[in-house]
Amino acid sequence: MSATIIDGKAFAAKVRAQVAEHVARLKEEQGITPGLAVVLVGEDPASQVYVRSKGKQTVEVGMNSYEHKLEADTSEEDLLALISRLNNDPSVHGILVQLPLPGHLNSDLVINSIDPAKDVDGFHISNVGLLGTGQKSMVPCTPLGCLMMLRDHHGSLSGMNAVVVGRSNIVGKPMAQLLLGDSCTVTIAHSRTKDLAAVCQGADILVAAVGRPEMIPGDWVKPGATVIDVGINRIQHPENPEKTKLVGDVDYASCAEVAGAITPVPGGVGPMTIACLLANTLTACCRANGLAEPEGLTA
Ligand code: NDP
């Protein structure tokens, strides 16, 4: 294997330490403690794990964590009323509604009821528009984490050819906007893209956000390219059918032979997502109080 491994776990720990240091200073100098409210509706097991993990890491960096667990049959009216209370609560600087929501709730309506300044997931339509027009916004956590790792690895991304495979609103599209903001030449590929192999082979930076286990093989990767694997897929363990294992959207073994740098799964993009959620909460808190934003933790 020739590629440098981009260690997302170590990088995320560094980001959390930076956040913790800034939070400690905010408390000491301004008497302000950033607060993150997480709203979970229903009992989806994966969502429960994420929410627990978010709450734990929020407290570890010195912020206040407010968890709101609602019954699966909570009405839209009650959920919107809770969000309105959180919007008006000055001790809450970030609000995250864990997705997916139960089917009877309109996710767009719910997300767009969050105060955009507290929308630490960056999914509110105002933040989407601000990002798309190159203005200061709250940036979705997963693409922000990818951007931070790319900047850390390369310094400037200016002029690089970037290919993002996947056009979802939470990963692919904001990732492409961020890369464009850093002056990459950006191509967004998706399920209808013709000759995806050739498109990928032109990439200096290849971001895979597809949701298909190990779909991208090494011979789609340009020698020396940087591969960011956003995918998290649980598959049957190849050596032990009773067990499962996590793999990304790229075939790690063959891609690592060709790439210049690559993020592993697990331990790549995944840990950066929660670290960026904490960074966004800190940013939101600084903005709400008219204070300087933390350096290196925003887009
Ligand atoms: P979505 O299912 O919303 O989007 C997948 C995208 O991949 C779509 O745009 C789709 O194209 C495209 N696609 C599907 N099949 C192909 C194909 N054969 N060739 C080319 N493109 C294809 O997924 P998400 O963006 O939400 O997530 C992507 C992956 O990232 C998942 O594995 C998810 O688990 C992971 N993820 C990881 C996070 C982390 O913290 N590390 C956070 C969020 C997601 P089309 O639009 O044409 O259908």
Side-chain angles (χ1 to χ4, degrees), residues 142 166-168 170 190-191 209-212 215 230-233 273:
T142 300
R167 56 174 164 178
S168 73
I170 63 167
H190 46 78
S191 66
V210 188
R212 291 184 182 263
M215 189 191 94
V230 181
I232 302 178
N233 309 289
T273 298

Side-chain angles (χ1 to χ4, degrees), residues 33-37 64 66 86 88-94 118:
T33 304
L36 172 64
N64 289 328
Y66 310 104
L86 298 173
N88 291 310
D89 183 342
S91 66
V92 172
H93 303 96
K118 296 188 178 187

Side-chain angles (χ1 to χ4, degrees), residues 123-146:
F123 296 159
H124 190 289
I125 193 71
S126 299
N127 283 315
V128 175
L130 290 168
L131 178 62
T133 48
Q135 299 179 70
K136 198 185 263 193
S137 63
M138 295 306 305
V139 176
C141 303
T142 300
L144 178 58
C146 297

